[in-house]
Amino acid sequence: MRRPVTGEVHVHYGQIYVESDPAGTTPGLSEAFAGQNGGLCGAAVPGALWLSTGLHTGNVGFVVEVHDAPPALDPAWEDVVEVSFRPVSERTSLVQWAGEAAWDLDLPRTDYRVRYCARGMDEGRERDTRVTGEPQADSYLLQFWPAPPRPDRVIHQTSQNAAYWHRYARDLPPPPTPLQRAETECLARRAQERAAEERRVHHERWQWGGRLPSQALRDARESNVLGLLRFDSDLVHALGAVGPGVQRAVALLAARRACETAGLTDVPWVTEALTALAHKRPLPPPFDDTARMWETLRCDPRVPERSVLEAIPPERPSYRPPAPADRALHQQQAPPATAGRRAKWVSAMESGEDPPSRPGLGRAPGTLAPAAPAGRSMTPAAGTGHDAAVVVHIFGTPREPSQIAQPYFALPAVLAAAEPVPLKAALDAVWHAVNTYGEHYPELLEEIRSACAEGAGD
C-alpha cells in the first residue's frame, strides 16, 4: 500500500476532484453524479471523480491510499461510498478547486474500485469556513484498488450532509449512454468545425475585397497579391479572370510604365530588358544577376534622380468577425460540459447561488516602409519574391508618406514581368509599378483596368 497524499488539502465550495483528462477538464455537478445512488463521490463521467466535503472553504484532513487488494473497512468512518473508476490517461491527479494545487496519484490505466470515507461532515458543514489556527472539523480517506467495474453503492451513511447529497444524486435523471455521449460530442465537434470554416471563409471574403478568390489567385499567394488587394481588389479579381495572354501583356505594360515614370527608358540596358520581355526572351545582363543589376543602377550616370511620395492604399475598416446568428446556434456550437475548462463548473455553485434544495451553501459571487531619399546612393531593400523589390506595407498607425527613389522601385517590375507564371508576373509587375508611381498610382491602375477589360473580350 502507498499513500501519495496525506495531511490536509484545501477545499472550496465543498469540492475537490480526481482528474485524468490531459486537458484538465472537470465535469459539472449533475453530470458527475447522474445515475448514482451515492452523492459523495461522483464517477459518472469517465476519468474523473467529484468529491464532496462538509466544509465549504478551508483545509480538511485528506489521505489517498493505493492498494493491491480490497482494504479492510475501518468502522471509525461515519460515511462511506464506493464507485468504479478508470483513468483516461497515464496521469491521474487529486486537484483542488480551479487547479490551485494538484498531487500526482501515479495510477496505471486500469479499472479500479474507489472507496471514499468521511468523518465529521456535519461539523464541517456547520463550521462552513476554517481559518488558520482553528482545529480540523472533517477528514476524508480515498482508497483505490484494482477491480472490475460495478455499480456504485452507499456502504454507510451517518451525517445529514451525506444524506442530502445522496438524495440529490438519486433525484438526477440517468446519465447518457456511451453511444449518446459519443453522438453528442460528435455533433458538437462538427458544429465547431462548421463554425471555424464559416469564420475562415468570412475573413477570406473580407481580405479579398468582399468576394472569394479563384483557385488561381489562391495559388498566387506567394506573390504580392495581398498587397495589391489593398489598392484595388476589383483589379486583382479581374487579373485572375483573364487568360494568360492578357496577364502577360499586363505584366509587360506595368514594367514599361514603371520604367517610363522612373525615367529609365532612355537607359540602354533597361531598354534592352524591356525589348527582351516583349519578344519573350530571357532578360539580358545585368538583370540575370540582381546584385550586379543594383550596382549598375547605382553607378550609371544616365539614371535620373527621380523621387515621389510613396503609394498609400485607401483606408479600409478593420476586420470584424461575424457574431453568432443567435444564442441557440452559439450554444449548439459550444462543447458539452465535459469539455469545459476547470473554472467553468456546470453547477449552481459556480455563480455563488445555492444548489437545488440546499439553502445557504453558496457564496456571493508593425509597419515596413523604407524611406528612400532621391539619388543613386540608396541601397535597395530585398523584396518579396524577387530579392529586389522595396515592398511598402501600410498597417497600424497612419503616418506621413515617405519620399522614394523611383528607379529603385521600377527595376523589380521588370524582374517580375519575366516570371514564368503569367498571373504571378502580372500581379507582381503591377504591384511594383504601383509603388514606382507612388502617390500617382491611380492613373496607372486606370490604364491596367482598361487593358484587362479589353483583353477580357478576346
Side-chain angles (χ1 to χ4, degrees):
M1 185 267 289
R2 58 184 179 85
R3 289 181 171 175
V5 180
T6 182
E8 291 190 340
V9 300
H10 188 82
V11 299
H12 193 41
Y13 289 109
Q15 303 164 22
I16 194 167
Y17 321 94
V18 171
E19 298 178 355
S20 63
D21 186 341
T25 58
T26 300
L29 175 64
S30 60
E31 189 179 22
F33 288 95
Q36 291 193 179
N37 286 313
L40 297 185
C41 182
V45 175
L49 298 175
W50 178 303
L51 308 171
S52 297
T53 64
L55 193 73
H56 181 281
T57 300
N59 285 0
V60 299
F62 209 97
V63 175
V64 178
E65 296 179 349
V66 181
H67 298 259
D68 295 327
L73 176 60
D74 186 344
W77 294 105
E78 299 169 349
D79 294 287
V80 182
V81 297
E82 286 187 3
V83 299
S84 291
F85 171 76
R86 182 183 181 89
V88 295
S89 74
E90 297 298 330
R91 188 174 183 86
T92 302
S93 303
L94 179 71
V95 182
Q96 288 183 180
W97 167 269
E100 294 171 345
W103 296 262
D104 185 9
L105 302 184
D106 192 22
L107 295 179
R109 293 182 66 178
T110 189
D111 291 315
Y112 293 92
R113 193 64 174 172
V114 180
R115 182 183 294 158
Y116 186 45
C117 308
R119 182 169 49 231
M121 289 195 77
D122 284 344
E123 290 82 356
R125 172 70 184 92
E126 183 177 354
R127 179 174 296 179
D128 186 77
T129 301
R130 180 189 176 197
V131 298
T132 303
E134 292 184 344
Q136 190 180 96
D138 47 341
S139 57
Y140 302 87
L141 171 65
L142 187 65
Q143 298 173 310
F144 294 83
W145 66 91
R150 60 181 187 272
D152 78 294
R153 67 184 185 125
V154 177
I155 296 177
H156 198 43
Q157 183 259 305
T158 301
S159 69
Q160 294 181 0
N161 190 285
Y164 162 81
W165 285 118
H166 295 333
R167 288 194 302 271
Y168 172 79
R170 292 162 189 162
D171 289 341
L172 291 172
T177 65
L179 178 59
Q180 290 172 330
R181 189 185 299 276
E183 289 177 348
T184 300
E185 292 175 353
C186 181
L187 290 174
R189 186 168 55 252
R190 289 177 181 173
Q192 287 179 317
E193 292 170 352
R194 286 196 301 270
E197 176 62 14
E198 289 171 1
R199 289 192 297 269
R200 186 198 66 78
V201 171
H202 186 273
H203 181 269
E204 185 179 39
R205 193 186 304 276
W206 170 84
Q207 185 181 48
W208 290 83
R211 49 178 155 158
L212 294 176
S214 64
Q215 187 58 49
L217 286 172
R218 285 196 179 98
D219 293 342
R221 279 184 176 271
E222 291 185 1
S223 68
N224 283 293
V225 61
L226 297 182
L228 189 57
L229 275 170
R230 294 178 59 83
F231 286 91
D232 194 330
S233 61
D234 289 339
L235 176 59
V236 168
H237 288 283
L239 286 172
V242 297
V246 177
Q247 293 165 351
R248 186 64 67 187
V250 165
L252 176 60
L253 174 63
R256 190 177 298 279
R257 291 293 183 263
C259 291
E260 288 174 355
T261 196
L264 296 176
T265 49
D266 292 332
V267 179
W269 52 275
V270 175
T271 303
E272 291 175 7
L274 293 173
T275 301
L277 283 176
H279 291 85
K280 301 180 181 179
R281 297 196 303 263
L283 293 177
F287 287 89
D288 56 346
D289 183 335
T290 54
R292 182 182 172 192
M293 179 191 72
W294 291 122
E295 180 65 17
T296 303
L297 181 67
R298 187 179 69 84
C299 298
D300 192 337
R302 295 168 293 185
V303 174
E305 296 185 1
R306 288 194 182 182
S307 65
V308 70
L309 290 178
E310 66 179 309
I312 303 293
E315 290 187 8
R316 184 183 186 188
S318 300
Y319 174 67
R320 299 182 65 180
D326 52 47
R327 183 176 178 83
L329 176 61
H330 178 70
Q331 291 175 339
Q332 180 186 13
Q333 294 173 352
T338 51
R341 292 299 302 173
R342 185 177 291 117
K344 295 184 178 180
W345 313 110
V346 183
S347 164
M349 290 183 288
E350 68 179 339
S351 61
E353 299 174 358
D354 295 332
S357 71
R358 191 178 183 189
L361 182 62
R363 285 292 182 277
T367 298
L368 170 61
R376 293 190 295 272
S377 61
M378 171 188 170
T379 301
T384 304
H386 304 290
D387 296 330
V390 182
V391 182
V392 179
H393 296 294
I394 306 300
F395 298 109
T397 305
R399 58 177 177 78
E400 291 298 321
S402 302
Q403 199 81 11
I404 61 104
Q406 288 179 291
Y408 288 90
F409 283 75
L411 293 192
V414 177
L415 294 175
E419 158 69 36
V421 180
L423 177 56
K424 188 173 184 297
L427 292 169
D428 280 345
V430 172
W431 163 255
H432 294 304
V434 164
N435 287 305
T436 306
Y437 268 66
E439 59 184 314
H440 306 297
Y441 75 86
E443 61 189 70
L444 168 73
L445 293 184
E446 183 177 353
E447 184 176 7
I448 298 296
R449 280 193 294 269
S450 296
C452 286
E454 292 174 5
D458 294 342

